[in-house]
Amino acid sequence: MTNPAHVAALCVAASLSIPAAQAQDWTATATVGLGFGEVSDTDTSFTSYTIDASGRVRFDSGFSMGLDLGYTGLESDDISGSASITSFAVAPRYRFANRPYTVGGYVEYASLDDTGLSGSLDATSYGLTGGYVGTNWRTEVFWGLTDTDPEIGPDTDIQDYGISVGVLSSDRLSFAGNLIRTSVEDSGVTVNADLFEIASTYQFGNGFGLFGSVSHMTISSAGDSVDMNTIGIGGSYYLGNTIELPLTVSLELAQSEVNYGGYSGDMSTVRLGLTLPIGGSGGKLPLNSTAGAVQNGRHSAITSSVLSTF
C-alpha cells in the first residue's frame, strides 16, 4: 500500500515549488467554539472546546492549495478522563488554462485521543480528485485509501470514494453536499459506511444569517446495519455592520441519533461560535457548525461523520 507520508511530502513539495510571487488571492476563516452536549436516557453531559481554521491560496499558474485544521476537546464530569479530536487536511489542485476542469489530490489526518479509555486512534486518508467548475457551481469526484494506527488487521484495506457538489445560487444562498462510501475489507469480510450530507446557508443582507445541514450514515455488513442521523440548524450575526469588527457570532442546535436493531439513542448539542475572516476575505459560516463540517467535508465517510457530530 502506498505510504501516506510519501503522498503528503509530494503535496507539500508541489505547493512549495510554486513561487509566492504568483499568488493571485487567498481566503481564510477561523472559528473558536464552545459547546454543551447531553446523551439521552443517561446522566451524561459534556462540554466541548473547538478551534478550526480553513483557507485556500490561488495562484496565477492555475494551481491552488486548500488547508484545513481543527481541534476539539471534550470533557465530562460524568466520565473519568478527557478526549480530543485533532484533524488536518491539505488539498492541492490544478485548473487547466481556459478549461473548467480540475485535477488534484488530498491528504487528511484525524486523531482521536482518549485519556480515560482506549488511548488513541489515528487515521490518514489520501487520494486523487477530478472536478468541473461552472459559473456558480462545482463538482468533484475522488478515490483514495485510508490507513489506521493501530491497524485494524494485517490484511485490512480501506477505500474511500464519492462525489461532492457546491452551488452558489446567489450572493446570499449557497448549498453543499457530499456522497461518500468508505469500504473496509479484511479476510473476506466487507463493511461499508455510506454517508450522505447536505448543507445550506443564507445571508439576509442585514448582518443576520441562517445555516443548517442534514446527514445520514449507514454502516452495513452481512445483513446487519447501524444508522446515524445528524441534523443541525443555527443562526449568525455579522458584527462588522455595527461595531466595525469583522467577527461573526453564531448559535447552533444539533442532534445526532443512532439506530441499531431495536435500540435507539440520541445526543443533543448547543454550539456557540466566534468566527473571524482572516485578512477580511474569509467566509462567515462558522466552522464549528454541522453546515461548516459539510462544506469543508473530508473524504472518509467515518471521519466526516465524526467531525460533524462534535
Side-chain angles (χ1 to χ4, degrees):
M1 182 176 292
T2 304
N3 188 334
H6 294 167
V7 181
L10 289 175
C11 290
V12 175
S15 64
L16 294 177
S17 65
I18 304 172
Q22 291 182 331
Q24 185 176 6
D25 62 73
W26 64 279
T27 60
T29 305
T31 298
V32 177
L34 174 64
F36 305 94
E38 186 175 82
V39 181
S40 66
D41 301 326
T42 70
D43 295 327
T44 303
S45 60
F46 62 88
T47 303
S48 63
Y49 309 90
T50 60
I51 301 176
D52 298 279
S54 179
R56 178 180 296 273
V57 181
R58 295 180 177 86
F59 301 90
D60 294 329
S61 59
F63 280 96
S64 66
M65 178 66 65
L67 181 65
D68 292 281
L69 303 169
Y71 174 82
T72 299
L74 299 171
E75 295 183 356
S76 174
D77 294 333
D78 307 306
I79 301 176
S80 61
S82 61
S84 64
I85 302 172
T86 305
S87 63
F88 167 83
V90 58
R93 289 181 177 85
Y94 176 76
R95 180 172 178 175
F96 294 96
N98 301 318
R99 295 290 188 272
Y101 305 107
T102 64
V103 293
Y106 65 88
V107 175
E108 299 169 352
Y109 171 81
S111 177
L112 172 61
D113 294 299
D114 193 329
T115 59
L117 296 175
S118 57
S120 65
L121 174 64
D122 300 338
T124 303
S125 303
Y126 47 95
L128 302 174
T129 64
Y132 181 92
V133 180
T135 303
N136 58 354
W137 66 280
R138 51 89 183 164
T139 185
E140 187 173 76
V141 296
F142 64 88
W143 175 87
L145 303 172
T146 293
D147 293 337
T148 63
D149 184 16
E151 293 182 336
I152 299 175
D155 300 319
T156 302
D157 290 321
I158 305 176
Q159 296 188 57
D160 308 297
Y161 49 93
I163 183 173
S164 64
V165 177
V167 179
L168 184 64
S169 297
S170 67
D171 57 352
R172 296 186 179 185
L173 180 64
S174 67
F175 297 92
N178 303 303
L179 181 61
I180 308 172
R181 164 168 282 193
T182 293
S183 181
V184 182
E185 296 184 7
D186 182 66
S187 302
V189 177
T190 301
V191 179
N192 292 320
D194 297 306
L195 174 66
F196 170 75
E197 52 187 4
I198 186 171
S200 180
T201 65
Y202 184 80
Q203 298 295 326
F204 290 96
N206 55 0
F208 289 95
L210 185 67
F211 54 88
S213 74
V214 176
S215 69
H216 172 78
M217 184 173 72
T218 298
I219 301 176
S220 59
S221 176
D224 291 330
S225 65
V226 178
D227 295 321
M228 181 175 179
N229 301 302
T230 298
I231 183 172
I233 186 169
S236 62
Y237 181 73
Y238 181 59
L239 298 176
N241 294 337
T242 55
I243 60 176
E244 297 183 357
L245 284 177
L247 296 174
T248 297
V249 293
S250 60
L251 172 66
E252 181 189 40
L253 304 178
Q255 185 175 49
S256 297
E257 181 183 36
V258 177
N259 295 285
Y260 175 67
Y263 170 80
S264 178
D266 62 76
M267 179 183 70
S268 302
T269 59
V270 177
R271 308 180 189 185
L272 304 172
L274 184 63
T275 301
L276 169 67
I278 301 173
S281 57
K284 300 175 184 177
L285 177 65
L287 299 178
N288 69 326
S289 64
T290 56
V294 174
Q295 181 171 287
N296 298 283
R298 301 297 190 259
H299 294 84
S300 163
I302 297 175
T303 301
S304 293
S305 181
V306 170
L307 294 179
S308 177
T309 302
F310 295 101

